[in-house]
Structure formats: C-alpha cells, structure tokens
Amino acid sequence: MGLNILIVDDQKKHNQTLARSLKLRGNETYSCANSEQAYNVLKKNKIDYILLDIMLDNEDGISLIPNFINTAPESKIIMITAYGTISSAVKALKLGAEDYIQKPIDIEHLVCMLQSNTIRKSGKKNNSGTMENCGIITKNRQMLSVIEKAKLYASSDLPALIIGESGTGKELLADLIHANSSYSEKAMHKINSSAFSESLLESELFGHEEGSFTGAKSTHKGIFERANHSSLFMDEIGDMPLSLQAKILRTIQNHEILRLGGKDTIKINVRFIAATNKDLYTLVHQNLFRQDLYYRLNTGIFRLPPLRERKEDIPDLVKFFIASKKQKFHDAVELDDSVINFFLDYDWPGNVRELQSVIFYADAICRDGKIRKEHLPEYILSELSPSVCNGLSFQAEYDDRDEKTVIEKTLKEMNYIKKDVAFKLGISRPTLYRKMEKYNINGQKQDETSVI
C-alpha cells in the first residue's frame, strides 16, 4: 500500500500494535500520544492519513480536527471510535474527517478502508475499468468479507447465488461479480423472475421461433441467448415456477438453450448470477424449489447483511445520497443531528433502498437546506422516540449506570407494557427488544403474558 500514516492514540500498547501491523504491510508509520507531538510530525513529514482516537487522555479528538486540517490539508483523517460512539463519529465527519473505524480494530478492515479511500480520492480504477466495489458503500466487516470473497469467486465461471432482504444491494454485488470476471467487457443482462407470467417468462428466458404460439410473428432471442459471452443476473429466482427451474438447471449444466418451438439446441457461454430474498433451503423442503438447482447454485452463496446489522454504514450512505442529490439538482442539503440519531436507532426494514427513499422524500419537501425530523415520512415519524426528538439518547443518559438494571426497573414501573417502556427510555421498540435479548431480560410478568 505504501502510505505515510500518523497514529494519534494515548493508549501506548494499542498505538504500537497498530503501527507494527501497518508497517508489516509496507507503510511508514508515526506514533503520537497527543496533539503537540502530532503537530511536530505533520510539520516535518507528508502524511497521507491521520488515525485519530476520538478520546485522548486530556484532549477531545474531535476538537483537534479543524487544526489538523489547517496544519496538513492534504492529510485525510480517520477517526478511531469506541463502540456506541457513532453519533460522535458523525460529528467528526461534519468537521472534515474522512472516515471512522470502531475498536477493536480489524487490521484487514482498516487496510481495505485506506485502500478504498485512496482509490476513491484519486479516481483510480481497478483492472476491469470499474470503480472500486461497484458503488457498494460499507465499512462493515461482514459486508467487506462478502465483497472480497465475491471478487475472488468472480474469476471462475461458476454460477453465483446472492441472498439478502429486499434493498440490501444484491444487484450491486452482482455488478461487482460481473465487473471482476472475464465477462466484464460486455454489459451484464438483467431480468426479474417475478415480473413475468410463467409463459412470458419462458419466452423471455429462452426465446421462441416464429409461429411457435399465437402471436409469435417472428423469431425472438431470449435473454440467455442475448447474454452470450457475458453475465446474466436473474433476480427473485425463488419466485420462479418449478417447470422453468428444471430448464434453468439444464441450461446451466449443459450451456445450451432450446427456443420455444425450436428443434435444435443453441450453445451459449453465460455466467449465471441469481438473487433472492427468500430462504431457498426452506423452499426446497416445501417442494417449492428444486433441490438439484439449489445445490447447483449452492457452490457460490453470498449472504448480504441487512442495514440494521451494519448501522455503522448509515452516515456514509446518507452522505452519498445527499451528494448524489447535490450533483443532480445543485442544492445544498444537510441533516439535523437529531435526524441522524434517529436513523441510527431505527431498524430500516426496507434496508438501504428505504434509507435512500427517505432521504430523497425529505429533500423534496425541505425548503431551507436542512432536513429535520418533520421532513421525514409519517410512518417514520410514528417510530420517532422523544429522546431523538430532543437530540438525546438512551446511552447518553445511562452511561454510568447498569443498562440492564435500568431496563428491568423500567419494565416493572411501566407494568411490562413495551411501548411505554420504550417511550420512557427514549428508544424505539425494536431497540428495546434488541437490548432485552442482549441482556437476557424476561419481558413478561411472572406467570402472566406481557402486554405489547
């Protein structure tokens, strides 16, 4: 990688370990415990990245950002944060920090972050001529692991199966697999299995000969044939009728198709990538999905985590969506801090796609350049907790107390009515349920069913 990296962290052991790990990967590192030492390094050396701990011994890391930027404007600042301080990291990003990473630091995660930021800032492209990660924005360890495995797997011509809830980015991962494959010189073809009736889907997949059915006035090439020597992305494969699943399997195995009404098979060379938001294994046992097709696709399964499991990505995603609106409409929009706090607390059942829609909706009705809670959709506002409205948080109020004890006490006070407990604590009900599960808290009265 070959970067000059300044580490500003008052925890000597952590600082030394991080410096040693980065040096082993070909970087030059400088270690400092405070801002005075850091300024001396910045004045004498060209630093690519400053890894700045958000909590130093006698200093607030966030307050140092403006001075570091003035001293070394070419240096990019990566904040080192503790668990549960994402809202502070968001403040750091607003002051000019480039990114942030949570402790304990996964060195491979950090290296990937530095490489991605360097590529993004320089505008460099990968070997296939596409921007790094094909638009997938993440610092989540699980997501980064999926991306790296997908890049390695892409070099084969084996079929791939992407599993994830709606809105998690399955199509983006398919783009990444295609971009890193030997088929990338041609555009990938895409089709949604649930968008066609069974008869129309068969024709769209495999094509038909003239006169093969009423209305077939000419020969039609199906998408498999059109995608020859490229990739084919088939979304919602779990919704495909069983009869067509058998033909899909035969096509994948034999690399050939037979048009409707045709007599001769046609050889094809297609990289097959499928996606679904359903549990195919369960569908197999329900006889709703072919077992042989499942195990054929099972050679390369990639599971995408939902947004609620990668909330550290929310600030970057918000920044990206706002930036995309600025480029399109040339307006300056920012989010009120209370909205960001709520976004981090909300569970996003519609995942990244829902977050994008909420940002675009709020932007459309915002008139003064600042998105506030009143600009959010009504269904989102119904989940808005009073603490978020006031820019507070449950964690902030109870930092010095036993969180489990507070929840158990509030459950008793509120007669185990969960919506009242969540309201009093200033958190959403999904967050309350997660915390109860985390601490193994019994949410019911003794020998009684709790009121939801």
Side-chain angles (χ1 to χ4, degrees):
M1 194 164 52
L3 298 171
N4 292 331
I5 302 171
L6 169 62
I7 305 168
V8 187
D9 188 341
D10 60 341
Q11 295 181 12
K12 185 176 181 180
K13 186 175 180 180
H14 181 268
N15 198 324
Q16 291 175 341
T17 301
L18 185 56
R20 184 166 56 251
S21 297
L22 289 169
K23 277 186 177 180
L24 289 172
R25 288 161 176 80
N27 304 288
E28 184 67 35
T29 61
Y30 304 84
S31 297
C32 297
N34 54 55
S35 60
E36 183 179 353
Q37 295 174 6
Y39 289 132
N40 289 332
V41 173
L42 290 172
K43 290 174 183 177
K44 298 176 182 178
N45 302 276
K46 182 181 181 300
I47 300 297
D48 297 303
Y49 285 97
I50 303 170
L51 303 183
L52 174 60
D53 199 321
I54 209 165
M55 293 293 292
L56 299 172
D57 187 20
N58 296 314
E59 297 176 291
D60 174 13
I62 293 178
S63 66
L64 298 176
I65 294 173
N67 288 335
F68 277 173
I69 292 175
N70 289 333
T71 303
E74 297 302 316
S75 302
K76 304 297 184 290
I77 300 174
I78 305 290
M79 302 303 297
I80 302 174
T81 74
Y83 178 77
T85 59
I86 295 180
S87 58
S88 297
V90 173
K91 182 180 178 182
L93 294 177
K94 288 185 175 182
L95 288 173
E98 185 74 15
D99 217 327
Y100 65 92
I101 187 168
Q102 288 187 335
K103 291 181 178 179
I105 293 178
D106 182 326
I107 188 63
E108 298 304 332
H109 178 190
L110 174 60
V111 169
C112 183
M113 176 188 291
L114 295 175
Q115 289 175 334
S116 296
N117 275 294
T118 301
I119 289 171
R120 187 167 64 247
K121 286 298 176 183
S122 64
K124 292 180 182 178
K125 299 188 177 183
N126 59 26
N127 292 335
S128 65
T130 57
M131 290 304 291
E132 187 76 1
N133 293 350
C134 293
I136 301 176
I137 297 171
T138 187
K139 54 169 60 73
N140 175 264
R141 294 178 185 180
Q142 183 181 350
M143 195 72 168
L144 287 171
S145 176
V146 170
I147 289 171
E148 293 309 308
K149 289 176 182 177
K151 287 179 180 178
L152 294 172
Y153 187 78
S155 61
S156 74
D157 61 355
L158 296 170
L161 174 62
I162 305 170
I163 299 176
E165 296 177 7
S166 294
T168 50
K170 297 188 291 295
E171 188 171 337
L172 287 178
L173 190 67
D175 289 336
L176 182 141
I177 293 173
H178 173 70
N180 287 274
S181 74
S182 59
Y183 301 90
S184 61
E185 290 186 3
K186 286 190 174 183
M188 180 168 63
H189 291 253
K190 302 177 181 182
I191 186 171
N192 189 313
S193 303
S194 62
F196 300 87
S197 64
E198 182 173 351
S199 59
L200 286 176
L201 180 58
E202 184 174 10
S203 174
E204 183 57 30
L205 288 173
F206 305 106
H208 61 256
E209 298 287 353
E210 181 180 355
S212 58
F213 55 84
T214 303
K217 297 180 180 179
S218 61
T219 298
H220 170 69
K221 288 185 178 182
I223 196 167
F224 268 110
E225 197 172 348
R226 300 197 302 271
N228 196 21
H229 300 296
S230 185
S231 302
L232 172 59
F233 173 61
M234 181 177 293
D235 203 2
E236 307 299 351
I237 195 172
D239 295 329
M240 179 174 289
L242 285 167
S243 60
L244 291 184
Q245 291 177 25
K247 293 187 176 182
I248 290 288
L249 176 62
R250 188 163 56 248
T251 298
I252 295 173
Q253 289 178 333
N254 301 333
H255 302 287
E256 62 183 24
I257 55 108
L258 179 64
R259 293 177 186 160
L260 287 173
K263 296 180 180 179
D264 300 320
T265 59
I266 301 171
K267 285 293 183 180
I268 58 168
N269 177 20
V270 172
R271 174 65 177 276
F272 186 73
I273 306 172
T276 182
N277 59 10
K278 296 184 177 179
D279 184 350
L280 294 188
Y281 186 77
T282 299
L283 293 182
V284 167
H285 287 276
Q286 295 173 345
N287 295 319
L288 296 175
F289 198 85
R290 290 183 64 97
Q291 186 179 50
D292 47 6
L293 177 57
Y294 173 74
Y295 285 112
R296 182 65 179 176
L297 298 175
N298 197 33
T299 55
I301 286 186
F302 301 92
R303 299 182 185 275
L304 297 183
L307 187 56
R308 62 182 173 274
E309 294 178 7
R310 42 180 287 225
K311 289 191 174 181
E312 64 268 39
D313 290 335
I314 289 177
D316 284 344
L317 288 166
V318 168
K319 187 165 61 173
F320 173 77
F321 294 140
I322 288 179
S324 68
K325 295 293 286 184
K326 286 181 181 178
Q327 291 175 3
K328 187 174 182 180
F329 301 108
H330 307 289
D331 53 0
V333 179
E334 62 178 15
L335 260 68
D336 186 76
D337 287 342
S338 64
V339 176
I340 284 287
N341 289 337
F342 171 63
F343 280 2
L344 295 171
D345 192 47
Y346 182 61
D347 268 351
W348 299 105
N351 295 294
V352 179
R353 187 181 295 125
E354 181 186 10
L355 175 62
Q356 180 187 45
S357 297
V358 168
I359 292 294
F360 287 0
Y361 170 85
D363 174 68
I365 65 173
C366 170
R367 289 293 176 264
D368 63 354
K370 191 160 191 174
I371 295 174
R372 300 180 179 83
K373 57 180 173 48
E374 58 264 27
H375 299 131
L376 302 180
E378 287 297 327
Y379 81 92
I380 290 277
L381 289 173
S382 66
E383 289 284 338
L384 200 60
S385 67
S387 67
V388 174
C389 292
N390 295 323
L392 305 175
S393 71
F394 172 79
Q395 188 65 41
E397 187 174 353
Y398 296 109
D399 269 343
D400 298 324
R401 301 173 61 180
D402 185 346
E403 201 171 56
K404 179 180 179 181
T405 301
V406 172
I407 294 174
E408 290 176 331
K409 180 181 178 182
T410 309
L411 279 165
K412 292 178 182 178
E413 289 178 356
M414 297 293 104
N415 200 28
Y416 293 85
I417 300 175
K418 306 299 190 304
K419 61 183 179 66
D420 291 346
V421 174
F423 186 87
K424 182 174 177 62
L425 293 176
I427 57 178
S428 66
R429 272 188 281 176
T431 298
L432 173 63
Y433 292 136
R434 286 199 309 273
K435 290 181 181 292
M436 289 172 61
E437 182 179 359
K438 174 182 177 182
Y439 298 119
N440 195 26
I441 296 174
N442 183 1
Q444 297 183 347
K445 293 181 183 179
Q446 194 68 27
D447 299 324
E448 291 184 32
T449 302
S450 69
V451 181
I452 304 296

